Amino acid sequence: VTSALDTIKAALPKTVTGINNDSSRVQMAVAWDMTKVEAINDFGSYSIPGTVSYKDKEENDKTATVSCELNVLPKSIVENGDFESGNTGWKVAGSEGVSIVWNDTPLRGTGAMHYWSPNAMNFTLTQNVTAEEAGIYRASLQAQGADGEPNTIDVAIKNTRTQITKNATVTVDGWANWKKAIAEGLEVQAGDTIVITITVKAGAGGWGSIDDVFLYKTGEYNGSSSGESGAGSGSGAGSG
């Protein structure tokens, strides 16, 4: 059985491209710091350091430090959860008077849902997703922002068949201070529809951005429902 860490290790490049003084290029073997890889225990963006060995023009042994920017992402069933395609897949409601752009202050890439308003706001983004596999599902998002206290972002997932909802809320409190909201434990049968809803509430002058909205399976489901609804968690973790 291949573990997630094995998959990550296999994804790291075996060589990097070196550029000589005459602008010629050469492939150089690289040794990555596997202690940094072994420390990965969550989805997110990581910088993995590595070392290359080579000989200079006098045939002296030399080393150089390189790095690999590694994105570890779940197998999400949300369409356009990183907003790289703007608002594709999402329905926005209640945003009258709110300035929304789709490429401002991303966690990674170039897309993010950024909001600001001179007035108090309370609006939602929703998407309906059909689960092809039965299982226990989790939704997460990353958010940053400030002002308009309390400036909160809630993520909720609802199984339309059972009417059970799981949700989690974070309060943003600073530029680029990314926080993660995790709603988890939703039991789903194959073919069920999951509604994921993001709710933004803030006072006048509030602003922020949302990125990396994921919905993914975390465990197996045997078909017997607990019949309970509940909340997830919010944290200040900056990786997603």
Side-chain angles (χ1 to χ4, degrees), residues 92-100 115-123 204-206:
V92 182
S95 62
E96 295 78 8
V98 181
S99 173
I100 296 178
Y115 61 90
W116 173 82
S117 176
N119 304 309
M121 68 191 93
N122 182 351
F123 68 94

Side-chain angles (χ1 to χ4, degrees), residues 23-125:
S23 297
S24 62
R25 295 171 180 265
V26 61
Q27 293 299 307
M28 308 171 71
V30 57
W32 299 108
D33 184 348
M34 288 301 169
T35 63
K36 299 295 185 182
V37 177
E38 297 286 351
I40 295 174
N41 60 6
D42 196 4
F43 300 116
S45 298
Y46 300 88
S47 181
I48 307 299
T51 304
V52 295
S53 300
Y54 65 99
K55 291 184 181 295
D56 64 15
K57 61 183 180 180
E58 283 83 26
E59 293 299 309
N60 296 312
D61 291 327
K62 297 287 186 179
T63 60
T65 301
V66 296
S67 65
C68 177
E69 299 305 313
L70 184 66
N71 290 314
V72 181
L73 306 177
K75 184 180 179 181
S76 177
I77 61 174
V78 167
E79 179 185 4
N80 190 34
D82 54 9
F83 303 106
E84 295 297 312
S85 298
N87 64 346
T88 299
W90 295 98
K91 179 181 178 181
V92 182
S95 62
E96 295 78 8
V98 181
S99 173
I100 296 178
V101 295
W102 304 93
N103 60 353
D104 192 335
T105 319
L107 175 64
R108 61 181 184 84
T110 60
M113 194 287 289
H114 189 278
Y115 61 90
W116 173 82
S117 176
N119 304 309
M121 68 191 93
N122 182 351
F123 68 94
T124 61
L125 291 81

Side-chain angles (χ1 to χ4, degrees), residues 7 49 59 92 108 130 167 173 199 205 220 227 229 235 237:
T7 301
E59 293 299 309
V92 182
R108 61 181 184 84
T130 300
N167 77 292
D173 57 8
T199 303
E220 300 302 324
S229 62
S235 74

Side-chain angles (χ1 to χ4, degrees), residues 1-23:
V1 177
T2 302
S3 71
L5 282 178
D6 289 336
T7 301
I8 293 170
K9 291 175 182 178
L12 290 169
K14 302 297 188 295
T15 62
V16 295
T17 302
I19 303 175
N20 295 318
N21 290 335
D22 62 0
S23 297

